[in-house]
Amino acid sequence: MVRLIMGANGAGKTKQLIDLIHSAVESENGSVVCIEPGADMTFDIKSSVRLVNGKEYNLNSFECLRGFISGLYAGNYDISHVFVDNLSKVVGSSSLPDVENFLHWLDRFSEANSVKFTVTLSMDEGTATEGMRNYL
């Protein structure tokens, strides 16, 4: 399962994401991971969540992020949910075709490994491609 949350800057996506993270910690049996572009949520989420600062790992492309997520899962098969805050900022690209391809890859990864994904994107929903709309 892949869920996409889109909205303009300041629309409350990160607050919504934090609430979803806390809910996942309470309701899911596996490990919860949150990848963010910096270290802004350090004091906002529970310490049981594996918080990853994307800058520390130089996640500067969709390919890097795919490899990173695969590596996280290879090292911990107990991961049940991965949250990605501000995808475009994490990977340094807002290319809609690339975002769509990445979401499709996440969907396949999710199906194969029973991992849920929730991704935020700082763009108006009206800009979403048809393929991206499947995840809204």
Side-chain angles (χ1 to χ4, degrees), residues 19-89:
D19 292 342
L20 291 170
I21 291 169
H22 289 151
S23 177
V25 167
E26 297 299 323
S27 64
E28 297 178 16
N29 293 328
S31 299
V32 176
V33 176
C34 178
I35 302 169
E36 65 171 331
D40 298 333
M41 290 192 282
T42 302
F43 301 107
D44 296 322
I45 60 173
K46 296 180 179 186
S47 61
S48 61
V49 175
R50 174 66 172 108
L51 184 60
V52 176
N53 178 343
K55 285 182 185 174
E56 290 180 358
Y57 296 94
N58 200 26
L59 301 176
N60 57 7
S61 71
F62 288 101
E63 190 65 29
C64 285
L65 186 55
R66 279 193 289 271
F68 188 79
I69 290 170
S70 297
L72 279 175
Y73 187 73
N76 181 359
Y77 292 115
D78 291 334
I79 294 174
S80 62
H81 206 133
V82 177
F83 294 87
V84 181
D85 186 35
N86 203 341
L87 175 64
S88 292
K89 198 168 184 180

Side-chain angles (χ1 to χ4, degrees), residues 101-116:
N101 288 335
F102 180 74
L103 293 173
H104 290 324
W105 178 84
L106 282 181
D107 195 38
R108 291 189 304 273
F109 190 94
S110 174
E111 288 294 318
N113 299 294
S114 300
V115 177
K116 297 175 189 167

